[in-house]
Amino acid sequence: MMRNPRARRYLLRLRPDGTARVTIPRGGSPAMARQFAERHVAWLEREFQRLQTQPPKPAVWEIGTEILLRGDAVRIEAGLNGEDKDIKDEDENEDDAIGEAETVRFGGESVRVPDPAADLRPTIESHLRQLATRKLPPRVLELATRHGLTVRRVTVRSQKSRWGSCSRHGTISLNWRLIQTPAFVSDYICLHELMHLRQMNHSPGFWREMERVCPDYRMAERWLKEHSGLLR
Ligand SMILES: [Zn+2]
């Protein structure tokens, strides 16, 4: 509960962390606030359900933010700056020190950021994209070989609404965000696009083939549905 003399009425809000907050207006009382909240329990429950199915995606990434890497929630941590400074001191170019580039770490990765206090998301996302560009295409080729398929080209892109696609000409495009999903999920997407080299549709025959090469595919589909927020 929170008093706000400027509020004209009781306000109920469900915060992203799942706690409810009631605002008490000028002249209001905690008892009335409690009654107000109790009258809107059904609304709260509905909002809570919505929150559960849509994991919040923090708009800004900063030190302490948890992000997904290969399916694990990893925390962005400040790098050991002392260590970095030693390296910098040996550097002849003293101008570098003015920029104060520092390192952040997450899940075994280490990234230089221009300003650790600013939004780290653009820098970290571009690092993740590079990581995906190194890791995903060799994996597709490996899976293609295993299933006797020929891929013409694999590209890693930043699609807004899809995890992957396969063109009639045999080019497979993958979303770099697959580097954030568990291995069984990114393997499923790779296999799904590879299977489109055999049939360009989602017929029952396609799904039968899918199940044969990737028995876990339903679990992977479920994971992607539960984490659809990653794409937005
Ligand atoms: Zn498909």
PDB file of all heavy atoms in Angstrom, residues 8 35 45-46 66 99 102 124 127 133 135 200 205:
ATOM      1  N   ARG A   8      -6.668  10.525  -7.079  1.00  0.00           N
ATOM      2  CA  ARG A   8      -8.063  10.892  -6.848  1.00  0.00           C
ATOM      3  C   ARG A   8      -8.898   9.700  -6.440  1.00  0.00           C
ATOM      4  O   ARG A   8     -10.025   9.841  -5.994  1.00  0.00           O
ATOM      5  CB  ARG A   8      -8.654  11.503  -8.103  1.00  0.00           C
ATOM      6  CG  ARG A   8      -7.902  12.762  -8.442  1.00  0.00           C
ATOM      7  CD  ARG A   8      -8.519  13.443  -9.602  1.00  0.00           C
ATOM      8  NE  ARG A   8      -8.026  14.804  -9.620  1.00  0.00           N
ATOM      9  CZ  ARG A   8      -8.723  15.815 -10.098  1.00  0.00           C
ATOM     10  NH1 ARG A   8      -9.931  15.614 -10.559  1.00  0.00           N
ATOM     11  NH2 ARG A   8      -8.198  17.013 -10.087  1.00  0.00           N
ATOM     12  N   GLN A  35     -10.262  -3.269   1.177  1.00  0.00           N
ATOM     13  CA  GLN A  35     -11.570  -3.654   0.615  1.00  0.00           C
ATOM     14  C   GLN A  35     -11.568  -3.513  -0.909  1.00  0.00           C
ATOM     15  O   GLN A  35     -12.076  -4.363  -1.626  1.00  0.00           O
ATOM     16  CB  GLN A  35     -12.671  -2.748   1.172  1.00  0.00           C
ATOM     17  CG  GLN A  35     -13.249  -3.234   2.486  1.00  0.00           C
ATOM     18  CD  GLN A  35     -14.297  -2.257   3.002  1.00  0.00           C
ATOM     19  OE1 GLN A  35     -15.028  -1.655   2.213  1.00  0.00           O
ATOM     20  NE2 GLN A  35     -14.363  -2.094   4.305  1.00  0.00           N
ATOM     21  N   GLU A  45      -6.044 -11.892 -10.250  1.00  0.00           N
ATOM     22  CA  GLU A  45      -5.682 -13.259 -10.629  1.00  0.00           C
ATOM     23  C   GLU A  45      -5.502 -13.379 -12.142  1.00  0.00           C
ATOM     24  O   GLU A  45      -4.590 -14.040 -12.609  1.00  0.00           O
ATOM     25  CB  GLU A  45      -6.738 -14.254 -10.139  1.00  0.00           C
ATOM     26  CG  GLU A  45      -6.409 -14.711  -8.724  1.00  0.00           C
ATOM     27  CD  GLU A  45      -7.551 -15.436  -8.029  1.00  0.00           C
ATOM     28  OE1 GLU A  45      -8.591 -15.679  -8.676  1.00  0.00           O
ATOM     29  OE2 GLU A  45      -7.388 -15.734  -6.837  1.00  0.00           O
ATOM     30  N   ARG A  46      -6.375 -12.691 -12.876  1.00  0.00           N
ATOM     31  CA  ARG A  46      -6.283 -12.724 -14.330  1.00  0.00           C
ATOM     32  C   ARG A  46      -4.960 -12.083 -14.792  1.00  0.00           C
ATOM     33  O   ARG A  46      -4.249 -12.617 -15.623  1.00  0.00           O
ATOM     34  CB  ARG A  46      -7.464 -11.972 -14.937  1.00  0.00           C
ATOM     35  CG  ARG A  46      -8.058 -12.664 -16.134  1.00  0.00           C
ATOM     36  CD  ARG A  46      -9.456 -12.172 -16.467  1.00  0.00           C
ATOM     37  NE  ARG A  46      -9.626 -10.749 -16.369  1.00  0.00           N
ATOM     38  CZ  ARG A  46     -10.562 -10.150 -15.616  1.00  0.00           C
ATOM     39  NH1 ARG A  46     -11.379 -10.871 -14.885  1.00  0.00           N
ATOM     40  NH2 ARG A  46     -10.674  -8.838 -15.592  1.00  0.00           N
ATOM     41  N   GLU A  66      19.233 -10.824 -15.349  1.00  0.00           N
ATOM     42  CA  GLU A  66      19.399 -12.217 -15.770  1.00  0.00           C
ATOM     43  C   GLU A  66      18.965 -12.357 -17.214  1.00  0.00           C
ATOM     44  O   GLU A  66      17.888 -11.913 -17.586  1.00  0.00           O
ATOM     45  CB  GLU A  66      18.548 -13.130 -14.896  1.00  0.00           C
ATOM     46  CG  GLU A  66      19.277 -13.590 -13.662  1.00  0.00           C
ATOM     47  CD  GLU A  66      18.571 -14.728 -12.951  1.00  0.00           C
ATOM     48  OE1 GLU A  66      17.438 -15.073 -13.329  1.00  0.00           O
ATOM     49  OE2 GLU A  66      19.159 -15.256 -11.997  1.00  0.00           O
ATOM     50  N   GLY A  99      38.004   6.632 -22.322  1.00  0.00           N
ATOM     51  CA  GLY A  99      36.752   5.992 -22.692  1.00  0.00           C
ATOM     52  C   GLY A  99      36.237   5.057 -21.602  1.00  0.00           C
ATOM     53  O   GLY A  99      35.063   4.771 -21.551  1.00  0.00           O
ATOM     54  N   GLU A 102      34.884  -1.095 -20.098  1.00  0.00           N
ATOM     55  CA  GLU A 102      35.070  -2.112 -19.082  1.00  0.00           C
ATOM     56  C   GLU A 102      34.452  -3.410 -19.543  1.00  0.00           C
ATOM     57  O   GLU A 102      33.826  -3.478 -20.585  1.00  0.00           O
ATOM     58  CB  GLU A 102      34.498  -1.631 -17.755  1.00  0.00           C
ATOM     59  CG  GLU A 102      35.361  -0.498 -17.210  1.00  0.00           C
ATOM     60  CD  GLU A 102      35.011  -0.134 -15.783  1.00  0.00           C
ATOM     61  OE1 GLU A 102      34.749  -1.058 -15.001  1.00  0.00           O
ATOM     62  OE2 GLU A 102      35.003   1.053 -15.492  1.00  0.00           O
ATOM     63  N   ILE A 124      25.659  -6.470 -25.640  1.00  0.00           N
ATOM     64  CA  ILE A 124      25.567  -7.902 -25.347  1.00  0.00           C
ATOM     65  C   ILE A 124      24.825  -8.631 -26.467  1.00  0.00           C
ATOM     66  O   ILE A 124      25.232  -9.721 -26.885  1.00  0.00           O
ATOM     67  CB  ILE A 124      24.915  -8.133 -23.970  1.00  0.00           C
ATOM     68  CG1 ILE A 124      25.857  -7.643 -22.870  1.00  0.00           C
ATOM     69  CG2 ILE A 124      24.589  -9.618 -23.769  1.00  0.00           C
ATOM     70  CD1 ILE A 124      25.347  -7.829 -21.465  1.00  0.00           C
ATOM     71  N   HIS A 127      27.108  -9.203 -29.252  1.00  0.00           N
ATOM     72  CA  HIS A 127      28.028 -10.300 -28.907  1.00  0.00           C
ATOM     73  C   HIS A 127      27.336 -11.659 -29.094  1.00  0.00           C
ATOM     74  O   HIS A 127      27.915 -12.585 -29.643  1.00  0.00           O
ATOM     75  CB  HIS A 127      28.500 -10.136 -27.462  1.00  0.00           C
ATOM     76  CG  HIS A 127      29.405 -11.237 -26.992  1.00  0.00           C
ATOM     77  ND1 HIS A 127      30.757 -11.244 -27.226  1.00  0.00           N
ATOM     78  CD2 HIS A 127      29.128 -12.388 -26.320  1.00  0.00           C
ATOM     79  CE1 HIS A 127      31.278 -12.352 -26.708  1.00  0.00           C
ATOM     80  NE2 HIS A 127      30.313 -13.056 -26.158  1.00  0.00           N
ATOM     81  N   THR A 133      26.510 -16.721 -34.847  1.00  0.00           N
ATOM     82  CA  THR A 133      27.019 -16.821 -36.209  1.00  0.00           C
ATOM     83  C   THR A 133      28.181 -17.806 -36.280  1.00  0.00           C
ATOM     84  O   THR A 133      28.393 -18.475 -37.285  1.00  0.00           O
ATOM     85  CB  THR A 133      27.454 -15.427 -36.713  1.00  0.00           C
ATOM     86  OG1 THR A 133      26.341 -14.541 -36.537  1.00  0.00           O
ATOM     87  CG2 THR A 133      27.852 -15.437 -38.160  1.00  0.00           C
ATOM     88  N   LYS A 135      28.526 -20.439 -33.970  1.00  0.00           N
ATOM     89  CA  LYS A 135      28.125 -21.768 -33.495  1.00  0.00           C
ATOM     90  C   LYS A 135      27.026 -22.460 -34.315  1.00  0.00           C
ATOM     91  O   LYS A 135      27.052 -23.681 -34.443  1.00  0.00           O
ATOM     92  CB  LYS A 135      27.633 -21.674 -32.034  1.00  0.00           C
ATOM     93  CG  LYS A 135      28.638 -21.094 -31.069  1.00  0.00           C
ATOM     94  CD  LYS A 135      29.697 -22.107 -30.716  1.00  0.00           C
ATOM     95  CE  LYS A 135      30.716 -21.492 -29.749  1.00  0.00           C
ATOM     96  NZ  LYS A 135      31.828 -22.384 -29.467  1.00  0.00           N
ATOM     97  N   MET A 200       8.350 -29.094 -48.177  1.00  0.00           N
ATOM     98  CA  MET A 200       8.137 -27.675 -47.881  1.00  0.00           C
ATOM     99  C   MET A 200       6.756 -27.425 -47.303  1.00  0.00           C
ATOM    100  O   MET A 200       6.027 -26.570 -47.797  1.00  0.00           O
ATOM    101  CB  MET A 200       8.274 -26.878 -49.183  1.00  0.00           C
ATOM    102  CG  MET A 200       9.676 -26.481 -49.480  1.00  0.00           C
ATOM    103  SD  MET A 200      10.311 -25.461 -48.142  1.00  0.00           S
ATOM    104  CE  MET A 200      11.712 -24.791 -48.950  1.00  0.00           C
ATOM    105  N   GLY A 205       2.796 -35.931 -42.769  1.00  0.00           N
ATOM    106  CA  GLY A 205       4.020 -36.629 -43.164  1.00  0.00           C
ATOM    107  C   GLY A 205       5.259 -35.903 -42.669  1.00  0.00           C
ATOM    108  O   GLY A 205       6.223 -36.518 -42.209  1.00  0.00           O
TER     109      GLY A 205
END
